[in-house]
Amino acid sequence: MQKFRKIGVLTSGGDAPGMNAAIRAVTLAAEVNGVDVVAIYDGYQGLMEGNVHDISAKDVSGVIRIGGTFLHSARSPEFMLEEGMQRAIATCKKHGIDGIVAIGGDGTFRGATDLTLRGIPCIGIPGTIDNDVTASDSTIGYDTALKTTVTMIDCLRDTCESHARCNVVEVMGRHAGYIALESAIATGAEAVIIKEIPHDEDAIIKRIADLKANGKRSFIIVVSEGLGNYGETLAPKIEAFTGVETRFARFAHVVRGGVPTVADRVMATQMGAKAVELLLAGKSNLVVCKRNGKIVSEEIRYALTVDRMFKGKLKDGDLDTFSEEQIESMKALCELRTKEIRRLYDLVDKVAK
Ligand code: ATP
């Protein structure tokens, strides 16, 4: 087994609160094991450009409570080309990087696989506010983004109540409606609209009219970002039909920042420590996941495939290299997620009064 002397850590793709906690955990867990750590700035772009610097415990002191990522993040199309990949590998050789912990989303994991296949063992950690890594029950940043979203909707509710208004709120989640679903439940929203489940627009508008007739003054409709500009077009329709003054708000990137919650800090720390443990045990091409309260790992190819299965985007041959048992477990995971989303969606309707 390879003797690890130096681990690189990077953050890539969209940033997420709690990434710093994961970087800190990687740094400290490596140090405890007598392994050096280099910080790779600007994700894979920085790896190609040699933007790497030694870090140690003192450099990560205090970062656990800071949002964003102090290693910065970047999207790097050049890295996806063989030439870019070779530049990245040259940086690893030059700095003696024996393995990398890559924190990000599915694109980041694809890059980690490409590096692993070219001799640089990598472990992925799911850092994305969208909670859209099907193989993991949660992702770093989701809990904080949800908390921020709820705080902001609560603020809108106050002013809607004062002025007898409706607010259609678009919340983050390009590919997954989790933030929409859970924030809708937590704020007592009158309806939630997500990409995953078809909705009845007329029924939602009628619900607002009925609730208004019953004396209700304020209304919140949560719409997931995945539906494009739908929320913006819905607001005037609600106003026209119900006579309730209706505004549209888009929270966008503001919920990507902020102080990470306890849950995100704890999970990021567990995942960072686990990633180092896996690398030092000679493992690679894995993504650290949380499943049923435990920190586990899955092959990256499994995690990417189960994501495609969940989104109905499997291509011919995608399942060919998996065992029957693996395919069954993927199907079970997808079914679990689908049911979970349906349960949350139905709950919003059940308590909309
Ligand atoms: P988010 O969920 O926030 O979008 P992500 O990790 O999926 O995070 P991407 O922009 O898709 O974000 O990917 C991050 C980086 O990973 C890309 O800029 C690119 O450098 C690398 N990457 C993406 N896809 C691939 C791929 N197919 N092969 C190699 N590298 C990739």
Side-chain angles (χ1 to χ4, degrees), residues 12-14 44 74-76 79-80 104-108 110-111 114 128 174:
S12 159
Y44 293 124
R75 304 206 193 250
S76 173
F79 174 75
M80 292 190 250
D106 56 347
T108 302
R110 284 195 186 88
D114 287 350
T128 164
R174 242 180 318 154

Side-chain angles (χ1 to χ4, degrees), residues 8 11 16 24 28 86 112 175 185 187 202 204 206 210 225 240 249 264 274 277 287 302-303 317 324 339 353:
T11 48
R24 171 183 177 271
L28 299 181
Q86 290 306 328
H175 305 296
I185 292 167
T187 58
D202 292 343
I204 289 172
K206 184 170 177 307
D210 291 347
E225 182 196 6
D264 273 330
K274 180 76 176 180
E277 180 192 311
V287 57
Y302 177 100
E324 273 308 309
K339 280 190 182 154
K353 277 268 178 289

Side-chain angles (χ1 to χ4, degrees), residues 23 33 83 88 111 114 125 150 159 163 165 183 193 205 219 238 243 245 274 287 294 315 322 324 332 342:
I23 299 162
N33 283 284
E83 197 190 319
D114 287 350
I125 292 181
V150 166
T159 175
H163 291 271
R165 277 191 197 131
S183 66
I193 304 173
I205 296 176
F219 309 90
I238 293 173
E245 184 186 351
K274 180 76 176 180
V287 57
K294 291 204 179 91
K315 292 192 278 306
F322 293 100
E324 273 308 309
R342 184 82 235 185

